Amino acid sequence: MNSGVWEEVGCAKLWNEWCRTTDTIHLSPTEAFCVFYHLKSNPSVLLCQCSCYVAEDQQFQWLEKVFGSCSRKNMQVTVLTCRHVTDYKTAESTSSLHTPFLKALKTQNFREPLCCSLLEQPNIVHDLPAAVLSYCQVWKIPAVLYLCYTDVMKLDLITVEAFKPVLSSRSLRGLVKNCLAASQLCAAKALGKWCSRAVCGKHAGGEGAGRFRSCQRYSGPGRSGNTWNIPQSTEILKKLMTTNEIQSNIYT
Amino acid sequence: MFVPCGDSAPDLAGCTLLMPAVSVGNVGQLAIDLIISTLNMCKIGYFYTDCLVPMVGNNPYATAEENSTELSTNAEVYALPSRKLVALQLRSIFIKIFFLCCRWYTKYKSKPFCEKLLSWVKSSGCAKVVVLSSSHSYHRNDLQLRSTPFRYLLTPSMQKSVQNKMQSLNWEEMEKTTCIPEIDESELCVRIPGGGITKTLYDEGCSKDIPVAVLLKFVSEGDNIPDALGLVEYLNEWLQMIKPCVQRDGPTAAALPWKIPSSWRLLFGSGLPPALF
């Protein structure tokens, strides 16, 4: 996000039992949301920053709202996410693996070269990244998921740097200025962000609607009318680290 | 809803649909994996639904580098047109939904799934549905403890066509037990503890006049691969999907050549750290 001018164009608000405020004075649950940005120089490039956990009973509705009102023609999706290395199944002990490392999954219609090796069976992916990839596979949208296995519970720059090869991919290299900016860009993307050429849609009700609040699309130049400055990715990294810490243990 | 892989929906009229119930030991799902892998069935579509927890992975039946890169989702449909066999594989559990009515309630999306599934079965013209399932072995009564661990159940529309076959195979029908186990005088009904949606599918099949057969095994959680092999061989006695291998060395009992899928590696987790010992 440091490499270009990104404008906030919408958000998907939701609440679930994983959403907890970091503010210990105001104890009521805070609304969590996924924010959508578009590149000002090329508005067909969209970026979604998910700083909240989308629960399993909200994922389908999230997909329908976000993908539902846009054309799937010429759409391509990239998903970036992380998991702890203990989730990775291998014949050798996971303690002997060199972490962090990147693995990929792609849909049938994705034709670009991959930046790392494919995720081998019997490993699988869950949660929102899996929901997005399933949607893309079923509806024949080219999509790729890059999954970083790391040995730390808290987000750090070493983990973020594992995504560097992804910045050289055909879809993303045009969006990245230089390597230094690339590290900061990775930091901003590290927790379940995806980049697509879609436009998010509007919200309707439905089951669990009390927990899935709204998917708002802004018209005009952005809520505050501001364009983004350099420190934005640092702020995003701080927010992601706090979110990661909260979501690591639902009981604290 | 069923979404075909290709441009047009395949013709499933007259086919036998095999499917698992997500049940104790995942025996039904393991059995369907064995069937798809052994018969080399090809994927014909997805059962795209909001009822199952999303998951993705690479091809679980890969045999070579070339076919290992195909993405698999949580509910897929495979077919073997030459034998008029269709298999639906389910790879995740039903989603729990939480709603507030004075206090929090949770329910599983299993009932809506069964309704959508059976509606698709009817519209696609499948001749019959065979549900592979399992039930908790510790719930068996004294009679069940002393007999074979395999049982079958047929909906009324299925009984007309296959009851005689079941009897000729000397199969045991699932017994009715008291609806409320603690009360001996309560009504008798079919109970399948640990069977997931098995009972719901059976009841819906009865009420909607859909030919459904349930084949199940009494199992405990653990290494359930032998249970899955037992269940597919039980099914094979009826459907004759594969023939035994010809043994060259004498009149030993011929083994059925079930192919273990490549995804069954590391069922109990990664390798252990050497420092542990």
Side-chain angles (χ1 to χ4, degrees):
Chain A
M1 288 184 80
N2 272 13
S3 299
V5 178
W6 295 86
E7 187 178 38
E8 200 175 309
V9 293
C11 70
K13 291 185 184 179
L14 56 98
W15 181 86
N16 52 56
E17 53 284 0
W18 286 83
C19 303
R20 279 168 294 135
T21 183
T22 52
D23 183 348
T24 52
I25 297 168
H26 305 101
L27 293 176
S28 58
T30 194
E31 280 188 13
F33 45 86
C34 307
V35 184
F36 295 84
Y37 306 89
H38 78 188
L39 191 60
K40 272 193 118 175
S41 55
N42 185 359
S44 69
V45 179
L46 273 173
L47 191 148
C48 171
Q49 168 70 55
C50 261
S51 56
C52 60
Y53 177 66
V54 182
E56 58 190 36
D57 61 327
Q58 297 171 315
Q59 287 160 11
F60 192 87
Q61 198 178 3
W62 191 97
L63 287 168
E64 292 295 307
K65 297 313 164 201
V66 171
F67 282 95
S69 60
C70 48
S71 167
R72 292 174 202 158
K73 199 180 167 189
N74 297 326
M75 189 193 289
Q76 180 163 302
V77 179
T78 304
V79 185
L80 307 181
T81 192
C82 283
R83 283 292 176 271
H84 197 272
V85 71
T86 48
D87 279 349
Y88 183 68
K89 290 199 177 45
T90 176
E92 56 188 295
S93 161
T94 50
S95 57
S96 62
L97 295 171
H98 296 293
T99 50
F101 60 90
L102 217 55
K103 288 288 178 186
L105 282 174
K106 63 180 179 69
T107 62
Q108 194 157 11
N109 290 63
F110 185 82
R111 302 273 182 245
E112 282 180 27
L114 292 172
C115 306
C116 59
S117 54
L118 280 168
L119 184 64
E120 315 86 349
Q121 273 284 351
N123 292 289
I124 55 177
V125 173
H126 304 109
D127 296 332
L128 188 64
V132 170
L133 218 65
S134 298
Y135 182 94
C136 294
Q137 173 73 357
V138 169
W139 301 113
K140 303 181 176 62
I141 300 169
V144 64
L145 162 67
Y146 288 109
L147 166 58
C148 177
Y149 284 99
T150 178
D151 57 351
V152 293
M153 295 303 290
K154 290 189 181 189
L155 194 60
D156 65 0
L157 271 175
I158 298 172
T159 301
V160 165
E161 278 190 347
F163 285 99
K164 257 192 184 165
V166 178
L167 300 179
S168 319
S169 67
R170 208 183 292 171
S171 330
L172 299 189
R173 63 174 171 240
L175 302 176
V176 182
K177 243 189 257 180
N178 56 46
C179 276
L180 181 59
S183 299
Q184 292 170 317
L185 179 63
C186 274
K189 284 187 168 181
L191 205 73
K193 215 170 187 187
W194 58 281
C195 174
S196 93
R197 292 168 204 255
V199 176
C200 82
K202 291 206 174 135
H203 163 71
E207 202 164 49
R211 296 162 80 232
F212 192 100
R213 296 286 173 78
S214 63
C215 185
Q216 292 172 328
R217 183 162 138 194
Y218 308 139
S219 54
R223 275 195 303 190
S224 60
N226 295 333
T227 55
W228 297 110
N229 297 314
I230 298 293
Q232 183 201 12
S233 59
T234 312
E235 287 170 18
I236 291 173
L237 177 59
K238 275 189 207 163
K239 195 176 166 196
L240 286 174
M241 289 174 78
T242 316
T243 309
N244 191 27
E245 201 173 316
I246 291 170
Q247 290 175 0
S248 297
N249 190 345
I250 193 174
Y251 299 110
T252 54
Chain B
M1 61 183 287
F2 176 74
V3 181
C5 286
D7 296 323
S8 57
D11 181 18
L12 304 181
C15 287
T16 299
L17 172 66
L18 307 175
M19 65 165 287
V22 180
S23 57
V24 56
N26 304 102
V27 176
Q29 293 162 288
L30 293 172
I32 292 291
D33 260 356
L34 280 170
I35 293 166
I36 294 170
S37 176
T38 306
L39 298 179
N40 206 18
M41 295 174 86
C42 56
K43 193 178 348 184
I44 59 167
Y46 308 93
F47 200 77
Y48 189 61
T49 170
D50 61 344
C51 300
L52 292 166
V53 172
M55 54 75 56
V56 288
N58 274 325
N59 184 7
Y61 313 113
T63 49
E65 191 72 34
E66 296 78 40
N67 62 17
S68 64
T69 61
E70 206 182 297
L71 195 71
S72 272
T73 62
N74 58 4
E76 296 184 318
V77 184
Y78 298 78
L80 186 64
S82 58
R83 305 289 302 274
K84 288 227 153 235
L85 271 180
V86 176
L88 165 68
Q89 178 60 301
L90 304 176
R91 301 196 173 98
S92 62
I93 54 173
F94 293 104
I95 284 174
K96 249 193 292 210
I97 49 171
F98 303 88
F99 55 97
L100 185 61
C101 179
C102 305
R103 51 184 183 177
W104 286 106
Y105 283 99
T106 65
K107 62 175 184 173
Y108 286 96
K109 281 190 157 186
S110 39
K111 190 96 197 292
F113 176 81
C114 291
E115 285 162 9
K116 287 174 195 173
L117 174 71
L118 292 177
S119 155
W120 170 62
V121 164
K122 263 204 155 168
S123 63
S124 63
C126 287
K128 57 181 180 286
V129 181
V130 180
V131 181
L132 301 182
S133 183
S134 53
S135 183
H136 283 303
S137 59
Y138 70 85
H139 269 278
R140 286 177 292 174
N141 59 28
D142 293 343
L143 266 168
Q144 289 168 333
L145 279 167
R146 290 194 285 261
S147 63
T148 169
F150 298 101
R151 292 291 185 278
Y152 77 91
L153 262 179
L154 303 172
T155 56
S157 50
M158 190 72 154
Q159 277 170 357
K160 299 168 203 165
S161 47
V162 301
Q163 186 72 59
N164 292 339
K165 177 71 179 169
M166 303 299 172
Q167 280 167 356
S168 71
L169 290 168
N170 285 324
W171 280 10
E172 297 223 20
E173 192 169 5
M174 187 68 173
E175 299 90 343
K176 287 189 179 173
T177 51
T178 48
C179 289
I180 304 162
E182 293 80 18
I183 303 173
D184 290 339
E185 296 81 25
S186 61
E187 254 180 39
L188 293 179
C189 61
V190 168
R191 290 175 60 246
I192 310 176
I197 58 169
T198 311
K199 181 73 173 30
T200 309
L201 281 172
Y202 171 73
D203 290 341
E204 291 285 304
C206 288
S207 63
K208 294 183 164 77
D209 204 34
I210 299 173
V212 176
V214 173
L215 268 57
L216 64 87
K217 189 181 183 218
F218 292 116
V219 304
S220 300
E221 290 278 358
D223 181 358
N224 298 108
I225 293 175
D227 298 313
L229 285 164
L231 191 60
V232 292
E233 298 202 344
Y234 184 59
L235 174 68
N236 200 54
E237 285 178 31
W238 172 24
L239 293 186
Q240 295 290 303
M241 295 174 295
I242 63 170
K243 301 277 188 285
C245 284
V246 175
Q247 297 280 5
R248 286 187 198 158
D249 48 350
T252 48
L256 289 170
W258 298 107
K259 193 160 96 181
I260 305 286
S262 50
S263 57
W264 283 21
R265 302 175 52 233
L266 308 172
L267 272 181
F268 298 100
S270 292
L272 297 171
L276 203 64
F277 305 104

